[in-house]
């Protein structure tokens, strides 16, 4: 396997997360330093859009069912849903805690969020747009969360 280093120009400040949009063949970059998302064409390695998030994005995931980018906000306990084609904000949803990371559950169409201030994870259903459950995970604050499609578990 060979690695190719590319240069596409300035993306943003404090790049925190990446998401791959398979439907538009785009790579999304979350930059918390300037509250933005940058969309990069994965074939040409060119920036095709830069979008304001209003608050610092902490993490992002791609939702193929809604063709959307979900953004965990660092400024408020909030999830932002953005159109993956246009970059426009579709809606904002309050959640119970500030997130440090998130993952997308393709089977159940849910976003899972790890709290950065409490030892808990939150399950947000993207079909009903509601928090459906919160789970206490012991005395340790989780800094990362992943969905395993093989075992269909978080």
């Amino acid at each position: 396997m060979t690695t190719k280093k590319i240069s596409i120009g300035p993306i943003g400040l404090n790049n925190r997360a990446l998401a791959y949009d398979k439907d538009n063949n785009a790579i999304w970059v979350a930059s918390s330093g300037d509250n933005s998302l940058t969309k990069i064409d994965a074939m040409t390695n060119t920036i095709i859009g830069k979008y304001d998030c209003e608050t610092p994005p902490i993490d992002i995931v791609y939702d193929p069912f809604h063709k959307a980018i979900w953004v965990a906000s660092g400024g408020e306990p909030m999830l932002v849903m953005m159109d993956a084609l246009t970059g426009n904000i579709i809606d904002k949803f309050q959640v119970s805690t500030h997130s440090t990371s998130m993952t997308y559950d393709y089977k159940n169409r849910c976003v899972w969020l790890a709290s950065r201030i409490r030892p808990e994870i939150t399950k947000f259903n993207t079909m009903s747009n509601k928090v459906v459950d919160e789970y206490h995970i012991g005395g340790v604050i989780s800094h990362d969360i992943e969905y395993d499609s093989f075992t269909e578990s978080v």
Side-chain angles (χ1 to χ4, degrees), residues 88-108:
N88 294 331
I89 293 175
I90 298 169
D91 212 340
K92 300 175 189 177
F93 306 95
Q94 290 298 125
V95 291
S96 62
T97 188
H98 289 83
S99 303
T100 186
S101 71
M102 67 181 180
T103 192
Y104 189 79
D105 173 347
Y106 294 91
K107 180 182 180 192
N108 299 300

Side-chain angles (χ1 to χ4, degrees), residues 7-117:
S7 177
I8 57 174
I11 294 176
L13 301 172
N14 299 332
N15 300 322
R16 296 191 50 102
L18 297 171
Y20 178 64
D21 167 358
K22 66 179 177 133
D23 295 306
N24 296 303
N25 199 25
I27 299 167
W28 288 80
V29 181
S31 304
S32 63
D34 60 0
N35 300 343
S36 71
L37 292 186
T38 303
K39 184 177 178 183
I40 300 166
D41 183 302
M43 290 301 291
T44 64
N45 300 322
T46 57
I47 295 172
I48 53 177
K50 189 164 182 174
Y51 309 96
D52 182 32
C53 289
E54 300 176 9
T55 62
I58 297 301
D59 203 356
I60 55 176
V61 294
Y62 177 67
D63 173 352
F65 301 102
H66 291 96
K67 309 261 187 275
I69 299 292
W70 288 92
V71 183
S73 170
E76 301 175 40
M78 180 173 46
L79 266 177
V80 177
M81 183 184 192
M82 297 178 77
D83 185 292
L85 186 61
T86 66
N88 294 331
I89 293 175
I90 298 169
D91 212 340
K92 300 175 189 177
F93 306 95
Q94 290 298 125
V95 291
S96 62
T97 188
H98 289 83
S99 303
T100 186
S101 71
M102 67 181 180
T103 192
Y104 189 79
D105 173 347
Y106 294 91
K107 180 182 180 192
N108 299 300
R109 298 183 185 174
C110 292
V111 172
W112 289 84
L113 303 134
S115 172
R116 72 173 186 222
I117 57 174

Side-chain angles (χ1 to χ4, degrees), residues 103-153:
T103 192
Y104 189 79
D105 173 347
Y106 294 91
K107 180 182 180 192
N108 299 300
R109 298 183 185 174
C110 292
V111 172
W112 289 84
L113 303 134
S115 172
R116 72 173 186 222
I117 57 174
R118 296 193 294 261
E120 69 183 27
I121 57 176
T122 301
K123 183 180 182 181
F124 180 89
N125 185 296
T126 64
M127 300 309 286
S128 66
N129 293 327
K130 294 185 182 342
V131 171
V132 292
D133 221 335
E134 293 177 339
Y135 302 89
H136 186 74
I137 55 172
V140 178
I141 295 175
S142 175
H143 294 285
D144 199 13
I145 188 168
E146 292 296 329
Y147 176 73
D148 183 340
S149 59
F150 181 72
T151 62
E152 298 180 346
S153 63

Side-chain angles (χ1 to χ4, degrees), residues 2-7 45:
T2 60
T3 302
K4 180 181 175 187
K5 185 175 179 178
I6 61 169
S7 177
N45 300 322

